Amino acid sequence: QPTASYTKDSYGQRFVIQKVPTESAVASYLSRFRITQGEGAVLNLSMQDYSLQRAKDLLETLVDKYNEVALLDKNEIAYNTAQFINERIQIIQEELGLVESSLADYKSRERIMSVDEQANRYLGESRAYSADIVQVETQLAMAEYLREYVQSTSGTYEMVPVNTGLNDSNLDQTISQYNTLVLRRQSLVAASSTQSPAVKQVEASLNSLRSNILGIINNVEASLNIKKADLSKQENIASSKFSAMPNKALEVLSIERQQKIKEDLYVYLLNKREENAMSQAMADTNARLVDRAEGSPVPIYPSKGRMLLLAFLLGLFVPAVVFLLKLFLDTKVHTRKELE
């Protein structure tokens, strides 16, 4: 593409274009590229080039691409998390529709408009236990979904969703380490191939972390099941006070319990989707351009003054050396005085 330097004066002139391999061009730019530490977290980038505009463009584009890659890495995790949550929302939505239809059909078939007074008293007494059980079952469902996702992505090395609501710091930390290694593997594969020893080493670490994640999920599920069993036991004690409750009311109560679990899980997933969307929209770049790239219109290298001084000194030194060599190496007799 013609640049501003290509004017009418350039018409008819002969241009020589030299093509070099990409690796050579990269090595050439790297040898002339410098990064120095400024005050605080400020980095100073500099580039020596024959073209002032090209050096400016390269430095500013370098910062833009750095931020672009950083945002892609952050948004990739958020994207995988959003995809995971959307899949679960669709499943829960279908299950919730089935439960609601089942409840409506049962009430219509048995001609029940609402549970009786005893059921209402039971609901009042067991409210705390029921709410805790719903919360535990929600976490169990999320743990099961997460385990299925990790197992289904075995060998593909994809990002694992974070902030799924399982309050386990060890699990969150291990997933963060896993996602960091996934990003590193993608960079290594892009720079070499999947057969690279460095890639194989990272994959071995990823496989180990995946096993750790599955083990932690199993421990979380075991803990939640123990908690659920204890809550169910407490609820059964409370429900024994109302053993005379009609069977129809008990059936309605059971279906409503399932409906409540599905509704809470559905609302929970919707909230997580909004949180993930917010974090994705608020993802910031890693670097900010403080000053635009600027350069001197006067060549900084080679220095004209230094070159003139060097030429002047060489002009004095070289003839002096030649004359001294001629004087020291001269073995002839030139005058009568030297002969005498």
Side-chain angles (χ1 to χ4, degrees):
Q1 299 295 329
T3 65
S5 301
Y6 187 80
T7 61
K8 292 184 177 180
D9 296 336
S10 304
Y11 295 175
Q13 295 185 13
R14 184 185 181 201
F15 292 90
V16 178
I17 300 175
Q18 181 182 8
K19 299 176 66 177
V20 297
T22 304
E23 293 78 8
S24 301
V26 171
S28 174
Y29 278 112
L30 284 177
S31 65
R32 294 179 277 116
F33 177 62
R34 294 289 182 271
I35 303 179
T36 57
Q37 180 72 46
E39 296 182 0
V42 177
L43 295 178
N44 299 318
L45 310 183
S46 61
M47 168 72 68
Q48 287 188 7
D49 198 359
Y50 300 106
S51 170
L52 176 62
Q53 186 61 44
R54 181 168 58 188
K56 289 182 178 180
D57 293 341
L58 191 144
L59 289 176
E60 293 179 359
T61 304
L62 185 64
V63 176
D64 292 340
K65 288 298 179 182
Y66 174 79
N67 286 330
E68 182 180 324
V69 172
L71 282 177
L72 286 176
D73 289 344
K74 293 178 181 178
N75 290 335
E76 184 175 357
I77 299 176
Y79 173 77
N80 285 342
T81 303
Q83 189 175 13
F84 169 79
I85 292 176
N86 288 331
E87 291 176 357
R88 303 307 163 187
I89 286 178
Q90 185 175 1
I91 295 174
I92 295 301
Q93 192 172 12
E94 295 175 356
E95 293 178 353
L96 181 61
L98 292 176
V99 172
E100 291 175 345
S101 299
S102 176
L103 178 61
D105 292 342
Y106 184 81
K107 285 185 175 181
S108 176
R109 184 173 64 253
E110 300 295 335
R111 297 180 180 179
I112 298 176
M113 298 307 297
S114 63
V115 294
D116 58 14
E117 184 178 353
Q118 289 180 330
N120 287 328
R121 288 201 304 269
Y122 167 73
L123 286 174
E125 288 187 4
S126 63
R127 188 184 303 274
Y129 297 123
S130 179
D132 290 340
I133 291 176
V134 168
Q135 185 178 4
V136 171
E137 289 180 342
T138 299
Q139 293 183 349
L140 279 171
M142 291 304 301
E144 179 64 23
Y145 294 156
L146 186 59
R147 180 174 59 185
E148 291 176 358
Y149 181 84
V150 173
Q151 291 175 343
S152 65
T153 58
S154 176
T156 59
Y157 304 109
E158 298 179 5
M159 296 286 187
V160 176
V162 294
N163 298 327
T164 54
L166 298 177
N167 299 324
D168 191 289
S169 58
N170 191 20
L171 178 62
D172 294 338
Q173 183 179 2
T174 306
I175 291 177
S176 298
Q177 294 175 359
Y178 183 88
N179 290 337
T180 301
L181 279 181
V182 169
L183 292 175
R184 172 151 181 79
R185 178 185 177 275
Q186 292 175 356
S187 300
L188 291 174
V189 170
S192 56
S193 68
T194 56
Q195 303 302 321
S196 169
V199 174
K200 294 296 183 183
Q201 184 177 2
V202 172
E203 289 179 353
S205 300
L206 286 171
N207 292 332
S208 177
L209 284 175
R210 185 188 294 111
S211 300
N212 292 341
I213 291 173
L214 291 174
I216 295 173
I217 292 175
N218 291 335
N219 293 336
V220 170
E221 286 183 329
S223 176
L224 290 174
N225 282 322
I226 293 175
K227 185 177 181 180
K228 178 183 175 182
D230 182 65
L231 291 172
S232 298
K233 181 179 178 181
Q234 296 297 329
E235 189 182 22
N236 289 332
I237 293 175
S239 63
S240 63
K241 300 177 182 179
F242 304 95
S243 58
M245 184 183 299
N247 292 332
K248 291 183 179 180
L250 287 174
E251 186 68 22
V252 171
L253 181 63
S254 176
I255 299 176
E256 288 180 343
R257 165 71 62 76
Q258 294 298 321
Q259 181 186 19
K260 178 64 175 175
I261 292 173
K262 301 299 181 183
E263 286 178 349
D264 288 352
L265 183 56
Y266 183 72
V267 173
Y268 174 81
L269 288 173
L270 289 178
N271 290 333
K272 282 297 177 182
R273 184 171 66 179
E274 291 301 318
E275 291 177 6
N276 185 71
M278 290 277 293
S279 64
Q280 185 175 3
M282 296 174 63
D284 196 7
T285 56
N286 285 14
R288 182 171 62 89
L289 197 61
V290 179
D291 296 319
R292 308 297 298 183
E294 295 181 357
S296 173
V298 180
I300 62 172
Y301 183 85
S303 172
K304 184 177 181 180
R306 287 185 181 179
M307 293 297 102
L308 290 175
L309 178 60
L310 181 61
F312 177 73
L313 294 176
L314 287 176
L316 294 178
F317 179 74
V318 174
V321 171
V322 172
F323 290 142
L324 287 175
L325 287 176
K326 288 185 66 175
L327 180 61
F328 290 145
L329 298 177
D330 189 4
T331 58
K332 296 179 181 180
V333 177
H334 296 280
T335 64
R336 180 183 184 87
K337 185 178 179 179
E338 290 177 351
L339 180 61
E340 293 175 351

